Every structure is written in structure tokens, then in C-alpha cells.
């Protein structure tokens, strides 16, 4: 699979959303051992979901953006700050730039909604990835689903 053989788009219909959930299940539940009952949450219903799909229709990356009032719990209540989360790329597609394309797609969606910054909670092993994309870590390390994380922000 070459980097040019996929597209990143906003999940517009139920099939796209299910594709996002399938990618998340493979990465977070199967690969990382996150309990399925906490992987999917009440935020999923109102979130903007982004999916990476190969030319043949196979989904292999996903992420979501929370914005408005639903983002407040994750961003300290700051208006204009969205929350990027649930970024997942299937193992076979890692190293192809898919994660970068998903983050940039989510940031574009955030800008289109008038947001001025994006926060996220990065697994500590992924801090370098997000730092290369312009995110800065803040606050102490914390556990989420038993995995070490740090809060990060990028001004758009």
C-alpha cells in the first residue's frame, strides 16, 4: 500500500462511522487491551469522525474531534478549543503518513468550525509524533485505561 493509495475524509454516513469504530476496536481493544466498554463513549454520538480509506474501500485509520460544549470536559472549558481523540491506524498501515493525514484532517475540520486550538491526550509513546506536528505537552502524566498519557495542545 503506498501513501497515495488512500483518502482521508469526514465520516458522513453510518457505514463510515462503523468503519471508524472497527479500526478503533482493532487498535485499542484488540491490540492495546483497552476494555471495549470504555473505548466507546457518549461522546461518539455527537463527535465529528474522520476515516482513512484505501482505494479499494478498506478502512485503516480513524480519529474524532469533539467541539463546543462536549469538548469542554476535555479542554478545561475553554471556548474555541476542540479535542482530538481516538486516533488509530491499523498496524499494516503505520509508517505511511496516515496518522499525520488524519491529524491534519481533524485540524481542518476544527478550523472550519471556528476553533482556534486543538487539545489531545497522547499516549506517552506517541509524544514525539504529536510534537513533530506542532503539539506541546502540558500538565503531569496521567493514566487513562491503564495507559500513561500527557495532555497536549496545538494553536491553529
Amino acid at each position: 500500500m503506498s501513501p497515495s493509495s488512500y483518502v482521508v475524509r469526514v465520516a458522513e454516513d453510518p457505514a463510515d462511522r462503523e468503519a471508524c469504530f472497527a479500526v478503533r476496536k482493532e487498535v485499542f481493544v484488540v491490540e492495546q487491551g483497552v476494555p471495549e466498554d470504555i473505548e466507546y463513549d457518549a461522546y461518539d454520538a455527537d463527535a465529528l469522525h474522520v476515516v482513512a480509506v484505501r482505494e479499494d474501500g478498506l478502512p485503516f485509520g480513524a480519529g474524532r474531534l469533539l467541539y463546543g460544549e462536549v469538548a469542554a470536559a476535555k479542554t478545561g472549558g475553554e471556548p474555541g478549543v476542540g479535542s482530538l481523540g481516538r486516533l488509530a491506524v491499523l498496524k499494516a498501515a503505520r509508517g505511511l503518513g496516515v496518522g499525520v493525514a488524519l491529524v491534519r484532517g481533524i485540524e481542518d475540520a476544527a478550523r472550519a468550525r471556528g476553533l482556534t486550538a486543538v487539545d489531545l491526550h497522547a499516549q506517552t509513546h506517541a509524544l514525539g509524533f504529536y510534537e513533530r506536528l506542532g503539539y506541546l505537552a502540558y500538565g503531569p502524566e496521567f493514566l487513562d485505561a491503564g495507559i500513561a498519557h500527557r495532555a497536549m495542545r496545538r494553536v491553529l
Side-chain angles (χ1 to χ4, degrees):
M1 173 185 342
S2 72
S4 63
S5 65
Y6 68 90
V7 348
V8 171
R9 66 174 186 256
V10 172
E12 298 289 348
D13 60 41
D16 279 349
R17 290 171 69 92
E18 287 305 314
C20 290
F21 297 153
V23 169
R24 285 169 46 185
K25 182 174 184 172
E26 179 63 27
V27 172
F28 296 124
V29 177
V30 175
E31 187 179 327
Q32 296 184 353
V34 172
E36 193 165 358
D37 62 330
I38 66 171
E39 169 51 30
Y40 308 102
D41 59 27
Y43 295 116
D44 280 326
D46 296 318
L48 178 138
H49 297 270
V50 175
V51 63
V53 182
R54 277 191 343 200
E55 288 176 346
D56 65 5
L58 180 73
F60 59 91
R64 75 177 186 188
L65 173 70
L66 304 179
Y67 57 96
E69 289 183 26
V70 295
K74 297 199 176 270
T75 64
E78 295 183 51
V81 179
S83 177
L84 183 158
R86 301 307 202 264
L87 190 75
V89 176
L90 296 181
K91 195 177 284 190
R94 292 181 194 151
L96 301 176
V98 177
V100 172
L102 286 164
V103 170
R104 296 306 188 216
I106 290 168
E107 291 171 347
D108 290 345
R111 278 188 204 90
R113 282 152 184 79
L115 301 179
T116 57
V118 173
D119 272 14
L120 58 87
H121 294 164
Q123 294 182 6
T124 55
H125 73 83
L127 288 172
F129 168 78
Y130 290 111
E131 287 168 345
R132 287 188 295 278
L133 296 178
Y135 287 81
L136 300 173
Y138 66 91
E141 188 174 293
F142 61 93
L143 291 179
D144 186 3
I147 301 168
H149 284 70
R150 288 278 311 273
M152 302 186 85
R153 175 172 290 184
R154 178 169 187 253
V155 175
L156 300 175

